[in-house]
């Protein structure tokens, strides 16, 4: 390749054409579903965040337009527009059409973001039907447009500006409908990620605007701005909004070593659920890694050291365990590394081994100092951890926990479960049906070859409010654990899961929504890999069935019902039936509308964003009433379906 001479040794990059991106989009952006679609936005925003981290940009605006395109505007230096010598084309064009070109232009030693895949804006261009770039730079406004990644005409300087001062980049793109299965940007998905980015990069102001008609009609939120001077300190406050904190100020410290920045913010709460979120270069490292290990190790050591030195362990005859200390603790650990190594199944596990020690010593020093300066808080935190240790030991002593846990692993399947014939988890489906009548119908309706049914009684236990020993006493929960067959909590093993589709079949009413949330809370807190790997689904049964001259039509919404009546039935249907609940359908109807893989509509529940999910569960399931009302009001009508 002729270009190779341009690169220094060790910097040789393979220049692939954008054609490769269009052929195998998933290799570059992970997938072509809704997640991939949103990834396009993040890829562009990451470039603006890089400008911000380099100190040249403080305002980023993301707009979802009426025509379903998205634009990202920033007030950075603007993508360079001068001629790129190697290509003899404007740099703007090169950056947008040559894969991996972005990095070559900036001598930033420290490109922090770059996204999960870090592929650059040219990938967004390749996957867009159309892309328009507008750059303000060098006293002028420049425009260039592209279709399917190919330039349309030449870059133009469209006008002069009065001053050289105003600079920035705006990129608007129309995702290619022939590539993406999804075409609908979700305000809540984008808002969660942009808010998170604003927390992680203090001082950057990010605005999200929704210009679509639906957004305005629902008198909903059409514009939100995220800006947090306090950075991850405010992130922790936000996560703890509905939890009772044990000390007013969030504990915060930062450190830098070997060009690696470390930031830690934490606050202990009275709750039972802890939540620790680790980020590396703004990426939510869901699978953990060396930064998280360093944090946990130092936390356990520092707390035990302080407790022993000050005789705070009382009659506890051993040191506190990590899990005792982490009970109710909310923490955000964020590191920025010049060369992060991402490993693991979903490339969200930080691998750089040097990070562990750096975080560990930053944490030991920072938390140690905090304890010395705030002895009352230290004591309260340790007392709570001692309580947790005692509860854990009491349960263990009675051999309850161990007995129950091992009983759950070995014993026979629950009597209420109608299991399927196949033993291949890849084919097997488990319907968790609300109530005995829906459960009964589902048992008759199912295809027993691959569909199992487990009826559950109405409201299961709210796991947000109980420790594991109580949770394991609950029959409905025990039945689910044995049916799924993969254990629970730390011992949960995805390999042992008996069904790769676990389908919540609940009614389309308020109670159904509540039960679904209780189930999701349970999966999220105690079987999280199920959600992380996309094994959890919800049925979406139709609300109406319309008959006309021997034909049957199903409608998911009132609007769809009216359209069918108008268009298919000439305005006068023979019958319109409203399904109030699954229990009201006869087995045939249940099969046709909800269980038949050929016809049914399933909603796959995924965790896009662990911090947002965590916040949602603590708001929805916690004690504080006002924030819950507020949350539901803001997110209605789709509160139950918020993308987590
Ligand atoms: C290459 C070089 C420079 C800036 C950028 C790219 C840049 C890219 C994007 C993408 C969205 N917003 C952006 N802002 C800047 C540095 C240019 C210089 O040295 O002046």
């Amino acid at each position: 390749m002729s270009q190779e001479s341009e690169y220094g040794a060790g910097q040789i990059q393979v220049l692939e054409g954008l054609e490769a991106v269009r052929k195998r989009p998933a290799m570059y952006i992970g997938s072509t579903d809704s997640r991939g679609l949103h990834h396009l936005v993040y890829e562009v925003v990451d470039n603006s965040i890089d400008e911000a981290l380099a100190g040249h940009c403080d305002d980023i605006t993301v707009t979802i337009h009426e025509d379903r395109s998205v634009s990202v505007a920033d007030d950075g230096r603007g993508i360079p527009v001068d001629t790129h010598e190697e290509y003899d084309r404007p740099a703007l064009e090169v950056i947008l059409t040559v894969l991996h070109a972005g990095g070559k232009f900036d001598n930033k030693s420290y490109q922090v973001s770059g996204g999960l895949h870090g592929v650059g804006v040219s990938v967004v261009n390749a996957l867009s039907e159309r892309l328009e770039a507008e750059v303000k730079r060098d006293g002028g406004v420049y425009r260039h447009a592209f279709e399917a990644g190919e330039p349309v005409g030449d870059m133009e300087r469209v006008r002069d500006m009065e001053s050289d001062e105003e600079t920035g980049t705006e990129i608007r793109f129309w995702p290619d409908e022939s590539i993406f299965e999804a075409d609908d940007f979700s305000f809540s998905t984008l808002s969660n990620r942009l808010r998170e980015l604003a927390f992680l990069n203090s001082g950057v102001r990010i605005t999200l605007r929704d210009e679509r008609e639906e957004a305005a009609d629902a008198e909903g939120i059409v514009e939100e701005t995220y800006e947090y001077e306090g950075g991850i300190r405010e992130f922790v406050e936000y996560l703890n909004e509905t939890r009772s904190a044990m000390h007013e100020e969030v504990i915060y410290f930062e450190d830098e070593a070997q060009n690696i920045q470390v930031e830690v913010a934490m606050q202990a709460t009275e709750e039972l659920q802890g939540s620790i979120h680790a980020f590396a270069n703004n990426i939510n490292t869901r699978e953990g890694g060396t930064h998280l290990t360093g944090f946990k190790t130092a936390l356990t050591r520092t707390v035990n050291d302080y407790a022993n030195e000050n005789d705070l362990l009382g009659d506890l005859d051993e040191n506190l365990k990590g899990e005792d200390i982490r009970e109710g603790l909310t923490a955000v650990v964020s590191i920025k590394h010049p060369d992060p190594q991402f490993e693991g199944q979903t490339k969200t596990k930080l691998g750089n081994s040097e990070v562990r020690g750096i975080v560990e010593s930053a944490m030991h020093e920072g938390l140690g100092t905090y304890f010395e300066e705030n002895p009352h808080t230290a004591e309260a935190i340790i007392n709570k951890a001692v309580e947790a240790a005692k509860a854990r030991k009491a349960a263990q002593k009675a051999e309850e926990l161990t007995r129950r846990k091992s009983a759950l692993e070995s014993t026979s399947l629950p009597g209420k479960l109608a299991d399927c014939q196949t033993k291949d988890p890849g084919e097997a489906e488990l319907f968790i049906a609300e109530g005995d009548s829906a459960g009964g119908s589902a048992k008759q309706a199912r295809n027993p070859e691959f569909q199992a049914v487990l009826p559950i009684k109405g409201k299961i236990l709210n796991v947000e409010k109980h420790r594991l020993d109580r949770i394991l006493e609950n029959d409905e929960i025990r039945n689910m654990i044995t049916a799924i067959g993969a254990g629970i909590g730390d011992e949960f093993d995805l390999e042992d899961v008996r069904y790769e589709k676990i389908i919540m079949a609940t009614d389309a009413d308020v109670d159904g929504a509540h039960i679904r949330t209780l189930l999701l809370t349970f999966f999220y807190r105690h079987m999280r890999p199920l959600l992380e790997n996309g094994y959890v689904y919800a049925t979406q049964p139709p609300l109406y069935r319309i008959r006309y001259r021997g034909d049957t039509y199903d409608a998911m919404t009132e609007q769809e019902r009216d359209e069918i009546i108008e268009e298919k039935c000439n305005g006068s249907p023979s019958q319109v039936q409203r399904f109030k609940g699954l229990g009201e359908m006869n087995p045939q109807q249940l099969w046709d509308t909800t269980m038949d893989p050929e016809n049914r509509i399933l909603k796959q529940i995924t965790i896009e964003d662990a911090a947002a999910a965590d916040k949602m569960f603590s708001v929805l399931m916690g004690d504080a009433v006002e924030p819950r009302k507020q949350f539901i009001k803001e997110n209605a009508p789709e509160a139950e379906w918020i993308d987590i």
Side-chain angles (χ1 to χ4, degrees):
M1 235 183 262
S2 65
Q3 290 94 336
E4 285 188 5
S5 57
E6 292 283 317
Y7 304 143
Q11 273 193 312
I12 296 174
Q13 301 178 33
V14 185
L15 291 179
E16 312 151 71
L18 295 189
E19 205 34 50
V21 182
R22 291 178 62 82
K23 255 198 203 128
R24 288 167 203 249
M27 271 191 48
Y28 298 86
I29 53 158
S31 65
T32 53
D33 54 11
S34 175
R35 198 182 280 224
L37 183 77
H38 289 83
H39 195 87
L40 298 178
V41 182
Y42 307 148
E43 199 60 53
V44 183
V45 170
D46 280 342
N47 287 277
S48 304
I49 295 274
D50 275 340
E51 274 296 282
L53 290 174
H56 303 287
C57 155
D58 39 40
D59 215 355
I60 301 170
T61 300
V62 177
T63 308
I64 312 170
H65 296 276
E66 192 84 73
D67 62 1
R68 305 194 121 57
S69 62
V70 165
S71 64
V72 179
D74 69 48
D75 62 352
R77 287 168 293 182
I79 300 180
V81 289
D82 49 343
T83 302
H84 186 276
E85 284 180 14
E86 186 186 326
Y87 291 89
D88 197 25
R89 302 293 308 163
L92 173 64
E93 186 176 301
V94 176
I95 287 182
L96 281 163
T97 53
V98 179
L99 210 51
H100 306 301
K104 284 200 304 166
F105 284 82
D106 26 27
N107 6 358
K108 292 176 213 161
S109 62
Y110 208 87
Q111 182 154 13
V112 150
S113 57
L116 188 48
H117 303 269
V119 285
V121 273
S122 59
V123 167
V124 178
N125 193 16
L127 300 177
S128 294
E129 220 166 272
R130 184 176 171 84
L131 181 144
E132 294 172 2
E134 182 177 291
V135 170
K136 295 195 184 104
R137 206 187 149 101
D138 308 336
V141 179
Y142 298 81
R143 284 210 187 124
H144 206 354
F146 304 82
E147 278 170 14
E150 302 283 340
V152 182
D154 289 325
M155 180 186 80
E156 282 183 69
R157 180 167 166 130
V158 292
R159 66 183 165 87
D160 293 333
M161 290 187 302
E162 309 215 327
S163 96
D164 274 11
E165 308 264 294
E166 203 187 335
T167 59
T169 303
E170 176 167 346
I171 288 175
R172 177 167 176 178
F173 63 95
W174 288 256
D176 199 319
E177 283 181 19
S178 66
I179 292 173
F180 289 94
E181 297 139 38
D183 72 343
D184 221 3
F185 288 102
S186 150
F187 189 90
S188 71
T189 300
L190 289 175
S191 122
N192 284 332
R193 175 59 181 158
L194 297 176
R195 184 187 298 109
E196 185 168 275
L197 282 170
F199 280 129
L200 292 167
N201 303 283
S202 72
V204 184
R205 178 164 55 250
I206 307 179
T207 300
L208 173 61
R209 204 196 310 265
D210 194 343
E211 292 182 349
R212 291 171 300 187
E213 227 173 83
E214 313 88 274
D217 279 352
E219 67 171 85
I221 319 138
V222 285
E223 185 173 302
E224 282 182 3
T225 296
Y226 318 107
E227 182 181 20
Y228 306 103
E229 282 305 325
I232 60 169
R233 263 165 292 205
E234 286 192 58
F235 199 170
V236 169
E237 281 170 11
Y238 170 81
L239 292 169
N240 277 348
E241 202 171 62
T242 62
R243 298 171 168 155
S244 10
M246 296 175 57
H247 48 103
E248 193 153 342
E249 290 267 300
V250 172
I251 305 170
Y252 172 85
F253 40 83
E254 56 190 321
D255 200 1
E256 187 175 332
Q258 297 172 42
N259 211 12
I260 299 161
Q261 280 177 29
V262 179
E263 274 187 287
V264 176
M266 53 199 265
Q267 191 175 37
T269 75
E270 307 280 0
E271 314 300 314
L272 296 177
Q273 293 300 336
S275 70
I276 300 174
H277 303 281
F279 296 84
N281 291 22
N282 291 334
I283 289 159
N284 189 338
T285 34
R286 263 190 255 157
E287 295 171 277
T290 50
H291 52 343
L292 187 60
T293 314
F295 171 84
K296 286 184 177 174
T297 311
L299 176 69
T300 310
R301 182 159 64 101
T302 313
V303 171
N304 274 307
D305 285 356
Y306 187 88
N308 283 309
E309 276 161 29
N310 296 281
D311 273 335
L312 294 172
L313 292 182
D315 51 3
L316 195 69
D317 54 6
E318 59 177 35
N319 269 349
L320 295 162
K321 287 204 171 176
E323 59 188 273
D324 304 328
I325 300 167
R326 294 195 298 271
E327 187 182 278
L329 179 73
T330 304
V332 173
V333 180
S334 170
I335 69 121
K336 291 185 177 138
H337 194 293
D339 182 27
Q341 302 300 316
F342 293 106
E343 305 170 345
Q345 267 194 342
T346 54
K347 294 270 173 279
T348 56
K349 180 173 182 180
L350 185 71
N352 306 66
S353 56
E354 73 282 11
V355 172
R356 183 189 158 137
I358 294 175
V359 175
E360 210 176 306
S361 63
M363 173 74 185
H364 189 64
E365 152 124 35
L367 188 60
T369 308
Y370 179 87
F371 282 168
E372 297 299 335
E373 290 170 0
N374 300 273
H376 292 297
T377 307
E379 201 176 325
I381 291 174
I382 288 162
N383 287 343
K384 161 115 199 277
V386 168
E387 285 307 303
K390 285 183 180 163
R392 171 177 55 79
K393 289 179 62 122
Q396 248 165 19
K397 204 164 180 182
E399 283 182 324
E400 288 280 298
L401 209 55
T402 5
R403 189 178 57 74
R404 288 215 191 91
K405 274 191 184 172
S406 54
L408 287 172
E409 273 154 29
S410 57
T411 51
S412 51
L413 295 165
K416 288 173 94 187
L417 174 77
D419 206 9
C420 55
Q421 285 148 17
T422 180
K423 297 288 167 239
D424 175 1
E427 284 176 13
E429 304 180 341
L430 174 65
F431 283 81
I432 299 180
E434 166 188 355
D436 285 333
S437 78
S441 280
K443 282 183 187 177
Q444 289 179 48
R446 73 193 176 125
N447 179 339
E449 272 171 41
F450 63 96
Q451 294 182 320
V453 175
L454 178 68
I456 51 160
K457 270 192 251 136
K459 307 280 164 76
I460 65 160
L461 187 76
N462 179 356
V463 300
E464 200 72 9
K465 294 194 179 152
H466 300 280
R467 287 204 171 100
L468 194 57
D469 52 341
R470 269 298 313 283
I471 292 171
L472 293 181
E473 278 169 13
N474 184 277
D475 282 340
E476 308 300 313
I477 288 186
R478 293 165 56 85
N479 284 345
M480 283 192 283
I481 301 169
T482 22
I484 292 167
I488 180 170
D490 296 343
E491 283 128 64
F492 184 85
D493 189 350
L494 198 67
E495 298 270 300
D496 293 336
V497 167
R498 301 178 60 246
Y499 317 90
E500 287 188 14
K501 282 201 174 75
I502 295 170
I503 303 167
M504 302 181 291
T506 54
D507 287 343
D509 57 12
V510 182
D511 280 346
H514 189 198
I515 294 164
R516 213 156 44 222
T517 316
L518 287 164
L519 284 169
L520 279 175
T521 311
F522 170 63
F523 293 141
Y524 182 72
R525 296 295 184 202
H526 299 286
M527 298 187 174
R528 195 170 303 177
L530 285 183
L531 283 164
E532 285 171 347
N533 289 278
Y535 286 11
V536 181
Y537 298 81
T539 54
Q540 287 189 294
L543 278 182
Y544 299 96
R545 171 159 279 194
I546 303 112
R547 287 180 212 277
Y548 181 65
R549 297 191 173 162
D551 286 324
T552 343
Y553 306 93
D554 291 329
M556 304 297 293
T557 59
E558 264 174 50
Q559 192 190 342
E560 210 181 318
R561 176 199 63 191
D562 295 343
E563 278 167 18
I564 290 169
I565 291 176
E566 222 31 65
E567 286 160 27
K568 308 272 188 199
C569 321
N570 289 320
S572 53
S574 338
Q575 193 197 21
V576 179
Q577 186 182 2
R578 179 176 158 81
F579 296 123
K580 285 212 203 74
L582 296 173
E584 276 181 22
M585 293 185 189
N586 64 40
Q588 188 61 45
Q589 289 171 331
L590 194 60
W591 167 258
D592 288 344
T593 61
T594 313
M595 296 181 81
D596 178 3
E598 299 287 317
N599 266 328
R600 69 186 180 195
I601 300 179
L602 290 185
K603 163 115 181 154
Q604 187 178 33
I605 319 276
T606 52
I607 319 184
E608 226 18 86
D609 186 325
D614 193 85
K615 164 92 176 171
M616 182 188 78
F617 287 121
S618 55
V619 173
L620 285 178
M621 304 323 268
D623 289 321
V625 176
E626 261 323 297
R628 173 162 53 233
K629 281 193 185 152
Q630 188 61 25
F631 179 90
I632 291 171
K633 206 168 116 196
E634 277 172 15
N635 293 282
E638 80 275 48
E640 331 112 53
W641 283 140
I642 188 143
D643 306 276
I644 49 175

